[in-house]
Amino acid sequence: MGEPIYRRVVVKLSGEYFAGPQHYGIDQPTIDRVAGDLIAARGLGVEIAVVVGGGNIFRGVEVSARGVSRPTGDTMGMLATVMNCLALGEALRRHGQPARTFSALLMPEVCDLYTRAAAQQTLAEGGIALLAGGTGNPFFTTDTTAVLRAAEIDAGAVLKATNVDGVYTADPKRDPNAKRFERLTHSEALAGGYKVMDATAFALARETSLPIIVFSIAEPGSIGAVLGGAGRATVVAG
């Protein structure tokens, strides 16, 4: 594994992955393993911020389809991301890694309000910044949040952790003939309609010239491997 390609990144983690084999809620061994991977990556000298989804607890889009307004459903989903970040923060600190949770929603009894300056200070001091609450607005996904925060804090890339090792022409779990891309441009990713990230996130990444590296979180040590240019991944850039 070579020297890290980037010195500051935003890692986007799927909320669904936090459920582990339960498919719902928070699986502690899974959280601990993710925490270990983040700590190992931090040990390479890379400053790390993390955005976590909330799908293991609540999905605003799904509840909206059953009668709750989309803005209310999305706000409930943002609260789920706060719970995931609090759980991950506890796991990181338990393993000796300083971490601080920031939320786009004001909740001073629970965690700190996100500001660009406060997040950058945490990173500069060696802590991992956990960025919860989405963008603080409905109709935006946590994928878009990850790209937005990466642009705000001057990160070099967004590391999109998924359950597959990159972007494919089709779902590789359903189509054995699906081909994996080594590299795509933002425009190609948008035109192809690949579901690994939503169109708003890809468009914002293109606008801000941010690379998105798509890889599988299922393999232990994958975050550090990708940072060193050794892991299997698809790079969306240019």
Side-chain angles (χ1 to χ4, degrees), residues 6 24 69 80 96 106 113 144 154-155 165 171 174 183 187 226:
Y6 303 103
Y24 179 83
S69 71
L106 183 61
L113 180 67
T144 300
D154 302 316
D165 57 356
D171 185 345
R174 297 182 179 181
R183 194 175 184 93
S187 295
V226 166

Side-chain angles (χ1 to χ4, degrees), residues 80-94:
T81 72
V82 175
M83 288 189 269
N84 280 339
C85 282
L86 291 173
L88 180 57
E90 285 291 309
L92 288 166
R93 287 186 291 272
R94 196 165 55 248

Side-chain angles (χ1 to χ4, degrees), residues 3 15 23 49 54 69 75 109 159 161 163 191 197 200 217:
E3 283 293 308
H23 306 298
S69 71
T75 300
E109 294 84 5
L159 274 55
N163 57 3
M197 251 186 168
T200 304
I217 190 64

Side-chain angles (χ1 to χ4, degrees), residues 4-12 46-51 123 131 143 145-161 186 197 205 208-215 223 226-227 234-237:
I5 301 169
Y6 303 103
R7 291 300 172 186
R8 175 179 289 179
V9 296
V10 170
V11 179
K12 168 57 174 56
V46 180
E47 295 180 354
I48 297 175
V50 181
V51 171
L123 296 177
L131 309 179
D143 282 346
T145 301
V147 177
L148 174 63
R149 297 296 184 236
E152 286 179 330
I153 66 173
D154 302 316
V158 173
L159 274 55
K160 163 75 172 178
H186 296 113
M197 251 186 168
T208 54
S209 301
L210 262 169
I212 297 172
I213 304 171
V214 183
F215 69 103
I223 298 173
V226 166
L227 284 170
T234 299
V235 177
V236 182

Side-chain angles (χ1 to χ4, degrees), residues 44-170:
L44 298 174
V46 180
E47 295 180 354
I48 297 175
V50 181
V51 171
V52 187
N56 55 318
I57 298 171
F58 193 90
R59 296 190 69 86
V61 173
E62 291 179 3
V63 77
S64 295
R66 298 195 293 270
V68 174
S69 71
R70 177 65 184 274
T72 299
D74 283 357
T75 300
M76 295 164 77
M78 291 177 217
L79 294 175
T81 72
V82 175
M83 288 189 269
N84 280 339
C85 282
L86 291 173
L88 180 57
E90 285 291 309
L92 288 166
R93 287 186 291 272
R94 196 165 55 248
H95 289 86
Q97 170 61 51
R100 189 175 175 190
T101 297
F102 298 95
S103 172
L105 305 171
L106 183 61
M107 46 180 71
E109 294 84 5
V110 177
C111 57
D112 296 300
L113 180 67
Y114 167 79
T115 67
R116 176 175 181 264
Q120 288 182 312
Q121 181 180 352
T122 294
L123 296 177
E125 293 173 351
I128 292 179
L130 308 177
L131 309 179
T135 66
N137 301 287
F139 302 103
F140 292 97
T141 65
T142 48
D143 282 346
T144 300
T145 301
V147 177
L148 174 63
R149 297 296 184 236
E152 286 179 330
I153 66 173
D154 302 316
V158 173
L159 274 55
K160 163 75 172 178
T162 70
N163 57 3
V164 291
D165 57 356
V167 179
Y168 282 77
T169 54

